[in-house]
Amino acid sequence: MTEVLVIGGGPAGAAAAILLARGRARVTLVEREAAAREKVCGEFLGPDAAALLDGLGLSLPALGALPIEGARLAAGRHEAGWRLPFGAWSLPRAVLDEALLALAIESGAKVLRGAAVSTAWRDGADWCARLSGGDLLRGGALVLATGKHELRGHARPKLGGAVGLKLPLQLAAPLPEAVMLLPFRGGYAGLQPRPGGGANLCAALQRVEAADSRALLARVSAGSARAAELLRGAEPLLPRPMAVAGVPYGFRHRDGPSPDPGLYRVGDQFAVVPSLAGDGVAMALAGGEEAARAILAGRPAPACHAALDHRLDRPMRWAGLLARGLDRAPGALALAARLSPALARLAAAQTRMPGFSAA
Ligand SMILES: Cc1cc2nc3c(=O)[nH]c(=O)nc-3n(C[C@H](O)[C@H](O)[C@H](O)COP(=O)(O)OP(=O)(O)OC[C@H]3O[C@@H](n4cnc5c(N)ncnc54)[C@H](O)[C@@H]3O)c2cc1C
């Protein structure tokens, strides 16, 4: 088999590279970051992510992940708490992404770190990728896994976009092993404990607004008495939150009338699930898995995209509904969850990929 090029070493690209290498394909993965780095992410991993990682040979508990057993939603004067109907975990992305890249190398993939692809194009039967240093790579198939970053010539359509923020914190009092959903004016946040202490505050804002860490804490605290209580005395570990703008929540790739059979889109380049409502990491791992299977079996990209779209359909729809509720009617959502925790558990289960929602 000819070489496969994978651009991007997040969960989607790494999963594809691991499975391609294990399937005896020659694979080169290019990741622009030279070393482990924090990423804007709530770091909540559900049973679908855990099962997909298990399938690759990575165990979340062995990586030091912290179990997350419950969820709580506090909006204004309404509040609800429920046990999650499945196992879930908190793990820093720097740890997860490094473990996946190490496994890709161990599986036999060639991994180029600290090298960015500046452009990629089709040349006859091949795909070519130019590295920013000038080197040229060639392969029979290209896996586009650049996450939220667009590759010149292959950008997703502009869909407006929200802003994602992440702020690691030291809290005055430890959090329970639960994810807290904290809507506030103009957005909503997720707060959960991190392994080894501290917490991760992650927010999805409807529009770009400059905010330093203290201003973000004040905004989230204003959303409910519970948020104010949890964040009282919190010490931000960064002067400004990490930010990513133009996040196209709800984006789903659609092939045009004459799609390239050798260009496989995965992860956030294929679909972007609303933050804190569904697991983007699980979907990225599923995309990497689907692309690797298709390439090894000689199935063209449009068939791979159709299969992946089918797998992601339910969580995309349910996470979209949940995110709309958090943005537009968070009090009503909290009230409904308080009156019927069973309904909250059912909704949480529906945001998982089919086949992965059991405890
Ligand atoms: C605010 C927010 C909160 C979130 N919370 C959660 C959560 O709690 N749980 C969850 O499961 N998901 C969450 N997500 C979603 C999740 O972070 C993404 O869906 C997931 O990271 C997608 O994986 P990926 O592999 O497609 O992309 P990424 O993880 O973004 O990886 C892409 C990689 O490609 C590299 N790259 C980019 N361009 C190039 C290039 N030209 N050349 C070489 N390398 C390149 C980047 O350096 C990066 O490492 C959240 C997202 C946001 C914005």
Side-chain angles (χ1 to χ4, degrees), residues 11-214:
I18 292 165
L19 294 171
L20 283 162
R22 287 183 187 163
R24 306 207 174 282
R26 283 191 297 130
V27 50
T28 300
L29 179 150
V30 186
E31 166 53 48
R32 70 180 190 179
E33 298 296 338
R37 209 170 61 95
E38 293 255 13
K39 275 184 181 167
V40 175
C41 185
E43 302 179 343
F44 175 92
L45 298 168
D48 30 12
L52 288 158
L53 288 166
D54 246 14
L56 295 174
L58 287 178
S59 138
L60 283 171
L63 289 174
L66 189 73
I68 296 291
E69 292 177 349
R72 184 159 279 279
L73 168 58
R77 58 200 171 81
H78 297 297
E79 186 166 343
W82 61 94
R83 264 190 86 77
L84 289 171
F86 44 66
W89 287 267
S90 164
L91 183 69
R93 284 296 299 275
V95 177
L96 176 65
D97 289 24
E98 281 310 295
L100 282 162
L101 281 177
L103 194 56
I105 295 170
E106 197 187 306
S107 304
K110 184 170 169 192
V111 174
L112 306 178
R113 303 284 308 255
V117 170
S118 52
T119 54
W121 67 96
R122 180 167 275 290
D123 181 22
D126 284 351
W127 269 92
C128 297
R130 172 83 60 199
L131 300 188
S132 41
D135 287 351
L136 183 71
L137 303 176
R138 268 182 182 275
L142 184 84
V143 179
L144 185 60
T146 52
K148 46 198 82 58
H149 308 280
E150 309 301 347
L151 185 66
R152 189 153 25 112
H154 305 284
R156 297 165 297 180
K158 284 231 177 309
L159 296 173
V163 180
L165 301 176
K166 170 180 182 171
L167 185 59
L169 298 170
Q170 279 306 333
L171 295 180
L175 288 174
E177 289 179 349
V179 56
M180 317 281 163
L181 293 171
L182 305 172
F184 57 92
R185 223 178 133 86
Y188 59 85
L191 178 70
Q192 69 178 26
R194 292 186 112 183
N200 182 25
L201 180 71
C202 192
L205 267 62
Q206 287 150 8
R207 57 175 179 274
V208 183
E209 287 164 64
D212 66 19
S213 297
R214 295 273 170 208

Side-chain angles (χ1 to χ4, degrees), residues 178-320:
V179 56
M180 317 281 163
L181 293 171
L182 305 172
F184 57 92
R185 223 178 133 86
Y188 59 85
L191 178 70
Q192 69 178 26
R194 292 186 112 183
N200 182 25
L201 180 71
C202 192
L205 267 62
Q206 287 150 8
R207 57 175 179 274
V208 183
E209 287 164 64
D212 66 19
S213 297
R214 295 273 170 208
L216 175 65
L217 289 176
R219 247 179 109 178
V220 179
S221 299
S224 62
R226 175 68 68 189
E229 180 197 318
L230 292 167
L231 295 175
R232 192 166 301 128
E235 280 304 322
L237 299 181
L238 299 172
R240 302 185 70 78
M242 295 171 63
V244 50
V247 186
Y249 288 134
F251 163 75
R252 294 171 78 165
H253 171 74
R254 298 283 176 235
D255 279 314
S258 49
D260 190 295
L263 175 58
Y264 298 79
R265 287 181 174 266
V266 293
D268 281 1
Q269 285 290 313
F270 184 79
V272 181
V273 71
S275 296
L276 311 162
D279 285 17
V281 168
M283 295 188 184
L285 293 167
E289 181 186 271
E290 206 64 60
R293 273 195 209 144
I295 293 168
L296 292 170
R299 274 199 306 278
C304 164
H305 293 160
L308 185 57
D309 192 57
H310 182 68
R311 269 177 100 176
L312 304 189
D313 188 60
R314 185 179 84 183
M316 285 298 291
R317 285 177 195 277
W318 278 83

